[in-house]
Every structure is written in structure tokens, then in C-alpha cells.
Amino acid sequence: MGKTSEMQRLIRHYRDETGEEAVDMKKVAKWAAGKGWPMPRPADPIELLAKEFSKAARQETKKDKVTGRSYRVNHSFTVTQGGQQLHLWIDIDNASHGPMLKSVTNRREQMVGDGLHLLNDVEHWNRINPDQKQIELDLDLTLDVEWRRNSDEDEEDAA
């Protein structure tokens, strides 16, 4: 059994043992550590710092001088070099077509994957709860995006 499968089994065991329906993963981790689950090794400080820089890059926005709409400045994409997958970052205002296309294609694929899993989750919940009001899910987000885009809401809060 792989580590992820074992962790999933422990989460179920924690729910069974505590009777909690909604669980706090910090409590699960503390419980698992008490049961002898090995603690992870401290991360490489350079890796941790790189993640912090990635988070900062992902959060940087500017306002378009013509439209006044906010946009994300930094975009990531992956490349394989020497058998290793690297996550590289580009500035949208200086990015060439290839890396920018790769970045937006990857983000779109993430949205499709999220939509697929959400649809499967709703379908499953509706099937096992036929006596409850069924959840309806519309995956066409076009109007939602347009409404959000044209709302008075601060776009940076919505991003």
C-alpha cells in the first residue's frame, strides 16, 4: 500500500475512532503522530524559499492601463531539462507566445480537471442521497466569469 493510500486509510480510521464528520487535518496529523506515523523530514530551506517566491509571484497583479482590469503578472509553465521537470516563471508583459500559451493551456487543463472531479462528486452525492434535494451543477462558467468581471467587486479580491 502506498503512502497516500495509507494516509487515506488513517483519515477514515480517525473519523471512525473520533466520530467526527468534518475533520481538521492538523488534529489528524497529531493523532497519527501519536500512533507512530513517521514525521516528515524538514524540507530543504532552498525548496521552501523557492515555494515562497512562487507564491509571491503567483499573487502579483497589475492594472491594465487601457481596460483598468487587473491581471496576473507572473505565469508559470513546465519544461523538462535533463530528465527533470522544472517550473519556470515568465512576466506576462515580456513573455513570448510559446511559454505564455503553455501557461494558459496548463491553467485551463487544471480548470477542466477540477470541473470533472466536481461533476463526479456531485453525481455520486446525488446518487447516494436520492431522498434529498438533488444538487444541480452547471459547468458553463461563461456568465459567472462575465458577471464577476463586470461587477463592482474588487477584482484583486476575486482572483
Side-chain angles (χ1 to χ4, degrees), residues 83-116:
Q84 268 195 328
Q85 190 176 49
L86 302 175
H87 296 274
L88 303 179
W89 289 85
I90 51 175
D91 181 319
I92 192 171
D93 292 324
N94 301 310
S96 59
H97 182 267
M100 192 65 204
L101 178 61
K102 198 169 195 178
S103 177
V104 298
T105 300
N106 287 342
R107 284 181 59 196
R108 186 178 190 282
E109 285 300 313
Q110 290 170 357
M111 291 171 62
V112 170
D114 286 346
L116 172 64

Side-chain angles (χ1 to χ4, degrees), residues 116-128:
L116 172 64
H117 283 283
L118 183 58
L119 188 61
N120 288 347
D121 295 347
V122 168
E123 181 182 69
H124 174 76
W125 188 90
N126 284 341
R127 186 185 59 70
I128 66 169

Side-chain angles (χ1 to χ4, degrees), residues 38-55:
M39 295 300 288
R41 285 191 246 205
D44 173 11
I46 293 295
E47 280 294 319
L48 288 173
L49 185 57
K51 285 181 182 182
E52 289 178 17
F53 274 110
S54 292
K55 183 178 178 182

